[in-house]
Amino acid sequence: MRMATALSVVVLAAGGIGHAVVTGLDTGITRVDPFKDMKNRPQAGNGMNVLVVGTDGRDKITPEEKKKYRLGGAPCHCTDTVMLVHISEDRERASVVSLPRDSYAEMPEHTDLTSGRKHHSHPVKLNAAYAEGGPGLTVRTVESMTGVKIDHYLEVDFTSFMRTVDAVGGVQICTTKAVKDSYTGLDLSAGTHELDGGQALQYVRSRHIDGAADIGRMQRQQKFLAALIDRATSGGVLLNPVRFREMATTMLGSVRADEDFGTDQMLALSKAMRGFTPASSEFVSVPIGDMSFPVKGIGSTVKWDAAKAQKLFQALRDDRPLAPAASAQKAESSGKGVDPKSVVVDVSPRTIRVQVYNGTRTDGLGRKVDDALRGTGFDTTRTPMTGAGQERARTLVEYDPRWDRSAKSLAAALPGAELRAVAGRGATLRVTVGADYRGVTAVRAEDAGKGGPFEAVTGDKVVCP
């Protein structure tokens, strides 16, 4: 979520800034060697792959900023954000793939940097790789999960994130509905907003807006990156050597990168990417199979859809676009490829976790409803249970008040269902099927059906009109 600054190293080079301006900027980058002693790596494909990770860094922020932007607590030695950025061989396209920090991963055999203990391969959440083995183990883990060879490594904390946003004059974000998160202090009304560095940090950190949690946060991060690219490429920053150097110096002040990513690489990209625009970027989250996959000793993890994820990463290796061509997007927006009978809802069903209970005496009805909800996209547990007490006449949806928008989206798929708020219920919504059940209505998020097989979107589609 704090990675816009690192990605901007690539984007800002597109302005063709001269060698005299760029030379010396990389002296502020702290160098790491994430590829040391790595063996049995994936075969290199076409294009360039950059692993971009975000670390905490709140220990570098002033007490006033901590209070204002609700950044209390001790910093963690972990990665909150992991992105795989692919720059095409012709340097005309950047594909950004977000990898959930709680992704289920098999940690390769390694030596713990803190304790010195040797560990065999074992299951973890993806963000634990950095805590146990730093950049090197993070790269090894991502390569093992994706089959994509990493060419460069960039690591940024959110201190430089705020400073960089301020250096470009802020970013413009548009929201179709009001968004509010009491944890980060984010409070935006529906409409267009100019965000400064601190506000932008609140925007990309927020994960308690609705049941979308980390998936929703990654989507906001992607929208933010597109907005930053738009501001950098259209606001004169790239064509003004003084502003460019000011922003680049700010941005690179707290970056850690591999030793081979420096001035020469920036200049090579700048010559090839002069025409880069938001439309040249595309954003996607790795396909999810289970939003709440339990692992003993670890807890709930995010498990990828193995088949779809493999196709996504194969496309990166083959240097193919992830988003459909403009003509295909136009056809989709006109209704082709989208079920015309489906109901449009606020929250994407794939981000809503549901536990189904059979509240009737009809055998197998719980399984039937679970399958039907999963068929329209909801993340059901696949283990329906029998409801307690007397048979229910009316289907009931119970939800935590913090996930009220998710509950309304679920209720749209179950016409006539009763909605009941239950404090402390958590992110998993509970459906108790009643005797009035007559089937599940297909629902979709407003932007569902767009983006081809990977649901990718180009930057020009998410920036303010």
Side-chain angles (χ1 to χ4, degrees), residues 58 61 65-67 69-73 158 162 201 205:
R58 71 184 67 196
I61 292 179
E65 289 173 324
K66 284 185 179 181
K67 182 178 180 180
Y69 302 118
R70 304 193 185 183
L71 296 167
F158 57 58
M162 293 193 297
L201 182 60
R205 288 183 61 232

Side-chain angles (χ1 to χ4, degrees), residues 3-313:
M3 293 307 89
T5 48
L7 179 60
S8 299
V9 174
V10 174
V11 176
L12 294 174
I17 303 298
H19 191 282
V21 176
V22 177
T23 298
L25 287 178
D26 62 343
T27 58
I29 302 176
T30 301
R31 296 298 176 181
V32 295
D33 186 5
F35 309 115
K36 184 179 180 180
D37 299 328
M38 288 187 64
K39 301 176 181 178
N40 302 317
R41 303 185 65 191
Q43 184 177 355
N46 296 318
M48 181 177 72
N49 300 307
V50 185
L51 183 62
V52 183
V53 304
T55 55
D56 198 311
R58 71 184 67 196
D59 54 328
K60 302 176 184 177
I61 292 179
T62 66
E64 293 75 20
E65 289 173 324
K66 284 185 179 181
K67 182 178 180 180
K68 183 177 181 179
Y69 302 118
R70 304 193 185 183
L71 296 167
C76 68
H77 187 67
C78 60
T79 53
D80 270 348
T81 297
V82 182
M83 291 181 178
L84 184 56
V85 181
H86 174 81
I87 308 297
S88 63
E89 187 73 23
D90 60 13
R91 300 301 190 256
E92 294 184 356
R93 182 183 70 258
S95 304
V96 182
V97 181
S98 296
L99 310 180
R101 63 177 186 175
D102 291 337
S103 294
Y104 173 86
E106 288 288 340
M107 187 86 76
E109 185 177 284
H110 66 282
T111 300
D112 191 306
L113 291 182
T114 303
S115 65
R117 292 177 54 192
K118 292 186 177 181
H119 295 280
H120 296 293
S121 177
H122 60 281
V124 293
K125 293 181 180 180
L126 177 57
N127 68 342
Y130 188 91
E132 290 192 25
L137 186 58
T138 302
V139 169
R140 289 179 60 198
T141 302
V142 171
E143 286 193 344
S144 176
M145 297 173 71
T146 65
V148 174
K149 185 176 182 180
I150 306 301
D151 300 300
H152 294 291
Y153 173 88
L154 289 173
E155 175 187 316
V156 181
D157 63 40
F158 57 58
T159 306
S160 64
F161 176 95
M162 293 193 297
R163 306 292 184 264
T164 302
V165 172
D166 289 336
V168 298
V171 295
Q172 188 177 79
I173 293 293
C174 295
T175 60
T176 57
K177 296 179 177 64
V179 290
K180 187 173 183 177
D181 186 344
S182 59
Y183 287 79
T184 64
L186 179 70
D187 189 0
L188 300 178
S189 60
T192 302
H193 301 270
E194 287 284 339
L195 306 185
D196 61 22
Q199 294 170 321
L201 182 60
Q202 290 176 312
Y203 181 77
V204 298
R205 288 183 61 232
S206 293
R207 62 188 299 269
H208 297 281
I209 292 175
D210 51 52
D214 277 335
I215 301 299
R217 181 172 65 171
M218 288 191 299
Q219 292 170 344
R220 285 185 287 278
Q221 291 165 9
Q222 293 167 356
K223 181 181 289 189
F224 168 80
L225 287 175
L228 181 64
I229 293 170
D230 184 46
R231 180 57 56 91
T233 56
S234 64
V237 176
L238 299 180
L239 302 179
N240 186 322
V242 176
R243 289 194 65 193
F244 172 81
R245 190 173 184 87
E246 175 188 355
M247 189 195 63
T249 301
T250 300
M251 174 178 56
L252 298 176
S254 57
V255 167
R256 297 213 304 168
D258 63 278
E259 296 180 356
D260 291 330
F261 191 87
T263 300
D264 290 342
Q265 285 68 37
M266 293 183 200
L267 286 173
L269 287 171
S270 72
K271 294 176 181 178
M273 297 172 61
R274 294 177 189 275
F276 201 89
T277 68
S280 307
S281 60
E282 52 184 10
F283 302 90
V284 65
S285 300
V286 65
I288 305 300
D290 191 338
M291 284 292 297
S292 184
F293 180 68
V295 179
K296 186 177 180 180
I298 298 176
S300 179
T301 67
V302 175
K303 193 169 186 179
W304 299 354
D305 184 313
K308 291 182 180 179
Q310 174 58 32
K311 291 180 181 179
L312 170 65
F313 296 123

